[in-house]
Each structure stands twice: as C-alpha cells, then as structure tokens.
Amino acid sequence: MASSKDMRRPDLVIPYQEPPPKGDNVEFTSTISSTLPMAAIFTRNRYIGWASVVLSIQNWLGESEEASKSSTSTPGYFTIGMSVMALAVTYLPMFLPPPPGQRGATGTEAAAPVPPAGA
C-alpha cells in the first residue's frame, strides 16, 4: 500500500554547495618532475634521465585545471622540455667524446703535485 503522495517538504530542501578549494595545494609530483632533470644532469645517470622524462609526461597528463591556471606552477610542457634536455646531456658523451688526454678527468679534481723546489 504505497502512497502516491510525496511526503517531502520543499521548504526543508537544502541546495548543494561545492566546498571551496584549498588555497595551499602543493603537488609532490610537480616537485619531483622539476628536480629529477637536475639530478640527471649533475650525476649524468641515464636511468634518472629516463625516469624524469616519464614522470614529467605523467605529471603533464595528470595536471589539474586549477594547477594549469595558476601562475605559480611550472607548465607541464616546460618540465618535459627540461627532462628531455637532461636526457640529452646524459647521452652527450656518446656523440661528443672528451679529448683523448682527458678520458677520466672531469676538471674538478685536485691539481697535479708540484716537485719540491730543492730537488
């Protein structure tokens, strides 16, 4: 015996209000995709370079609308460019090898020893 009469009271209906967005929305993946290319350049590690490319593409594809509109965040295509450049730097010694005399030298080691003056 269901009643066809609607028992809801229209004066008690509360309309839905979307909660305000959080003001401080820091994305950890954005930080990682910005710092991994620098780590790849400094260490010249190809695995870190490839990881930075993959993570920057993933960050760009998963970028929220709010993050893309904010002026404080780095655009996704810029982080992809940085990671591709870092990957190119890691492969640079393959295409532009160092001069033969400096095979193992990086230019940051200690100076060569000087012979004593009395000898």
Side-chain angles (χ1 to χ4, degrees):
M1 294 208 175
S3 172
S4 63
K5 184 178 174 184
D6 191 6
M7 300 298 289
R8 295 178 287 184
R9 292 179 49 188
D11 58 329
L12 295 179
V13 173
I14 301 172
Y16 174 75
Q17 295 179 357
E18 187 175 348
K22 296 177 182 175
D24 188 21
N25 189 9
V26 178
E27 294 184 10
F28 187 66
T29 57
S30 174
T31 305
I32 292 295
S33 65
S34 296
T35 56
L36 267 182
M38 290 185 281
I41 289 173
F42 293 148
T43 62
R44 292 198 179 193
N45 190 337
R46 293 184 183 121
Y47 294 117
I48 296 175
W50 281 109
S52 70
V53 170
V54 170
L55 285 176
S56 63
I57 291 173
Q58 178 184 0
N59 186 37
W60 181 49
L61 292 176
E63 196 174 51
S64 66
E65 191 69 28
E66 297 165 357
S68 63
K69 287 183 180 178
S70 71
S71 62
T72 58
S73 66
T74 307
Y77 55 84
F78 183 73
T79 57
I80 291 174
M82 280 290 293
S83 61
V84 168
M85 186 205 52
L87 189 63
V89 166
T90 61
Y91 281 100
L92 196 61
M94 271 178 136
F95 302 109
L96 297 172
Q102 295 182 351
R103 193 70 177 151
T106 60
T108 58
E109 64 273 350
V114 178

